[in-house]
Amino acid sequence: MAGRKQIQDARVVVLRLDGVDAADAAQSLKDLGIVHAVGLADVGSLSVHIEGGKVDVLVVSSPPPTGITPPPVLPLPPEPPEAALKAGIPCLLLLPGTSRSAARMALAAGYAAVMSVDAAPRQVYRRIGALMQRVRRIGRAHASVRGAPAEEGN
């Protein structure tokens, strides 16, 4: 992996539940250098990628609230896909019009991070990188507790 950043080889799945073309969202990450970005429009096909070990980070884009704008009560963010949580895959949630309370609810539900759906692709790219670093640090900590040699990072 010499000469390449870890994020460039990341296997990122973009799950668009908001009706936006998932392939376009994945392409915007590919344009920034992530080689393995896949766009999906439904949770059903996600399990195939997870079971095949083809996901390092999952980006979920929440559908916008329907009805009154802004809604009188904040809608609950969607639950992170159970298969991703069981596999220990960090999930990044993109919400329309994020608020602190919505972010807290999403973090409590199991998301690793929350951003606005309007965030620039470069910001999403950076957050994916940060999530991957966090996972790598946690892995090193677990390895040192077990007495195993820690994997060296770039």
Side-chain angles (χ1 to χ4, degrees):
M1 210 160 47
R4 289 177 67 96
K5 294 180 181 179
Q6 180 186 16
I7 191 170
Q8 291 173 316
D9 289 324
R11 297 165 299 179
V12 178
V13 172
V14 180
L15 180 60
R16 297 300 303 240
L17 302 175
D18 58 1
V20 175
D21 186 12
D24 287 347
Q27 186 60 49
S28 68
L29 293 174
K30 285 181 179 181
D31 292 345
L32 291 169
I34 296 178
V35 177
H36 309 287
V38 175
L40 302 176
D42 65 275
V43 179
S45 52
L46 175 63
S47 62
V48 173
H49 290 273
I50 291 174
E51 290 168 6
K54 299 177 183 175
V55 183
D56 293 319
V57 176
L58 175 64
V59 179
V60 178
S61 187
S62 175
T66 57
I68 305 168
T69 307
V73 177
L74 287 172
L76 292 174
E79 293 287 322
E82 189 174 332
L85 291 177
K86 284 183 179 178
I89 298 167
C91 300
L92 168 61
L93 179 63
L94 304 179
L95 284 176
T98 58
S99 68
R100 287 184 185 193
S101 59
R104 279 193 297 268
M105 286 188 288
L107 294 171
Y111 285 95
V114 181
M115 295 180 73
S116 171
V117 74
D118 298 324
R122 169 85 43 206
Q123 290 174 309
V124 175
Y125 173 90
R126 288 180 179 154
R127 185 60 59 94
I128 290 169
L131 290 174
M132 291 182 64
Q133 286 179 341
R134 184 187 309 167
V135 168
R136 193 170 67 220
R137 278 193 305 269
I138 290 169
R140 284 186 193 145
H142 286 215
S144 67
V145 167
R146 291 189 308 251
E151 178 184 326
E152 290 190 25
N154 294 355

